Amino acid sequence: NGGRTTAAGGLIEGELEEGSGKIERSETTIDYVPARGEQQGGLYFRADPQRSRLRLRAHGYRDP
């Protein structure tokens, strides 16, 4: 979080893609990230992410 305020409820989505399009999607919510802080999370996929293109996207957050 490079911002000056705390963020909560950040929805993160990951998609695996191959030449033919999307093959799998996963998402997680990061509960709390302090201003100028870091938080870690994980996404689970059935397919091997190293064999596909991984796209990550943050959908939004809320002020706590």
Side-chain angles (χ1 to χ4, degrees):
N1 179 5
R4 295 180 185 173
T5 60
T6 298
L11 178 60
I12 309 300
E13 175 188 71
E15 289 182 337
L16 295 181
E17 297 179 344
E18 287 184 352
S20 60
K22 297 176 191 173
I23 58 172
E24 193 172 352
R25 181 177 163 276
S26 181
E27 65 181 38
T28 189
T29 301
I30 303 294
D31 292 330
Y32 176 85
V33 184
R36 306 217 190 273
E38 294 182 13
Q39 191 62 270
Q40 294 183 6
L43 297 170
Y44 292 102
F45 296 98
R46 287 186 221 125
D48 183 356
Q50 293 182 347
R51 297 181 182 262
S52 304
R53 181 181 206 164
L54 174 61
R55 292 192 181 265
L56 296 173
R57 206 173 14 205
H59 283 278
Y61 68 94
R62 62 181 171 78
D63 292 328

